């Protein structure tokens, strides 16, 4: 029985993103019309409708916007518990992914993170998020 993690399926729209991940770079679409970053990849800007959405490299630094600790997975290849989070990138885009490199109980809203790339067997590099500093204390109360 195969318990491998499902692999991403790049399309012509997402191929530049995945190619950059293999190079250790985080690229996000940047609308030439309104200047907003767009993520996940889209054929047209959801803000202004513009179709000129080149990929630009971003720093890969941000803050946890929100997160969930997953204790029961419904897909093979994921070891529980793990943390899924929305990350507010310093450039203004919001990215999604798992937070690694710390216990799930240390992840907090507002925690500073940076992208890292780890090999997904059978696919290649995928982005993940690692804490930059000590965890933000849990709110009292």
């Amino acid at each position: 029985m195969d318990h491998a993690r499902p692999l991403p399926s790049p399309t012509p729209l997402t191929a530049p993103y995945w190619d950059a991940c293999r190079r250790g770079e985080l690229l996000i679409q940047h609308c030439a019309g309104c200047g907003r970053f767009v993520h996940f990849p889209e054929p047209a800007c959801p803000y202004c409708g513009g179709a000129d959405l080149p990929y630009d490299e971003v720093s890969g630094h941000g803050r946890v916007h929100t997160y969930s600790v997953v204790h029961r997975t419904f897909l093979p290849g994921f070891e529980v518990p793990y943390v899924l989070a929305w990350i507010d990138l310093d450039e203004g885009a919001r990215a999604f992914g798992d937070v690694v490199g710390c216990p799930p109980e240390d992840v907090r809203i507002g925690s500073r993170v940076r992208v890292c790339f780890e090999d997904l067997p059978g696919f290649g590099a995928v982005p993940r998020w690692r804490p930059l500093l000590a965890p933000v204390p849990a709110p009292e109360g």
Side-chain angles (χ1 to χ4, degrees):
M1 184 182 299
D2 184 9
H3 293 287
R5 185 171 167 178
L7 303 178
S9 298
T11 66
L13 179 65
T14 64
Y17 174 81
W18 293 115
D19 290 344
C21 288
R22 287 184 185 96
R23 296 188 306 269
E25 301 170 353
L26 184 63
L27 267 58
I28 304 289
Q29 286 179 305
H30 193 213
C31 180
C34 70
R36 304 240 349 226
F37 281 95
V38 176
H39 190 68
F40 297 107
E42 295 285 347
C45 178
Y47 305 105
C48 74
D52 189 5
L53 292 164
Y55 283 85
D56 286 345
E57 187 172 3
V58 294
S59 68
H61 289 91
R63 291 188 182 278
V64 174
H65 174 78
T66 191
Y67 69 95
S68 181
V69 178
V70 179
H71 293 278
R72 182 177 174 200
T73 188
F74 297 95
L75 292 172
F78 292 87
E79 284 189 41
V80 293
Y82 60 93
V83 177
L84 292 176
W86 284 103
I87 308 297
D88 288 334
L89 297 176
D90 291 352
E91 292 82 2
R94 186 168 286 159
F96 184 76
D98 55 342
V99 178
V100 298
C102 71
E105 59 271 14
D106 286 353
V107 177
R108 300 278 185 271
I109 291 172
S111 295
R112 292 286 297 165
V113 294
R114 69 181 281 271
V115 72
C116 64
F117 297 93
E118 294 185 10
D119 186 62
L120 178 58
F123 180 76
V126 295
R128 302 178 95 181
W129 302 92
R130 286 193 179 277
L132 276 175
L133 305 172
V136 176
E140 292 186 28

